[in-house]
Amino acid sequence: MIQKLYKFTCADCGLEVIHQDRDAARKRGWAIARDGKTCYCPACALKHRNAGRKSAQAMSGEQLSFGGVGNA
C-alpha cells in the first residue's frame, strides 16, 4: 500500500517538515489554520493561537498591572 505524505511549511519562519496527515502534525504541536493551507511550527504557533481578529500577537514577558489595592 502506498502511503501519502504531506509537507507542512511554517508561514512565519519557513520550517518544512513531512507528516502523514493533519492529525499527526497537530500531535507534534503544529497549528493549522481553518483554511487548511496555512500552518505554523510549534515555536511560532503560540502567538497565533486564540489571536482572534488581531492576528499574530507580539509575545512579551511583561505582566499587566492593575490599578487596585496593593499596586503602586
Side-chain angles (χ1 to χ4, degrees), residues 3 8 13 15-16 23 26-27 30-32 34 38 41 55 58-60 63 69:
Q3 187 170 4
F8 293 89
C13 66
L15 177 69
E16 294 181 352
D23 291 333
R26 284 190 176 126
K27 286 180 184 178
W30 282 73
I32 301 171
R34 289 183 185 172
T38 309
C41 70
S55 187
M59 300 291 286
S60 66
Q63 184 176 358
V69 177

Side-chain angles (χ1 to χ4, degrees), residues 2-69:
I2 298 174
Q3 187 170 4
K4 192 170 183 180
L5 298 174
Y6 299 92
K7 182 171 76 170
F8 293 89
T9 305
C10 180
D12 282 351
C13 66
L15 177 69
E16 294 181 352
V17 295
I18 297 175
H19 290 293
Q20 295 174 350
D21 57 6
R22 288 183 188 170
D23 291 333
R26 284 190 176 126
K27 286 180 184 178
R28 289 181 174 85
W30 282 73
I32 301 171
R34 289 183 185 172
D35 65 2
K37 298 177 184 176
T38 309
C39 53
Y40 303 99
C41 70
C44 298
L46 290 176
K47 62 183 173 183
H48 290 278
R49 288 199 171 117
N50 298 323
R53 67 180 183 90
K54 295 181 181 179
S55 187
Q57 301 291 316
M59 300 291 286
S60 66
E62 298 178 17
Q63 184 176 358
L64 295 175
S65 62
F66 297 97
V69 177

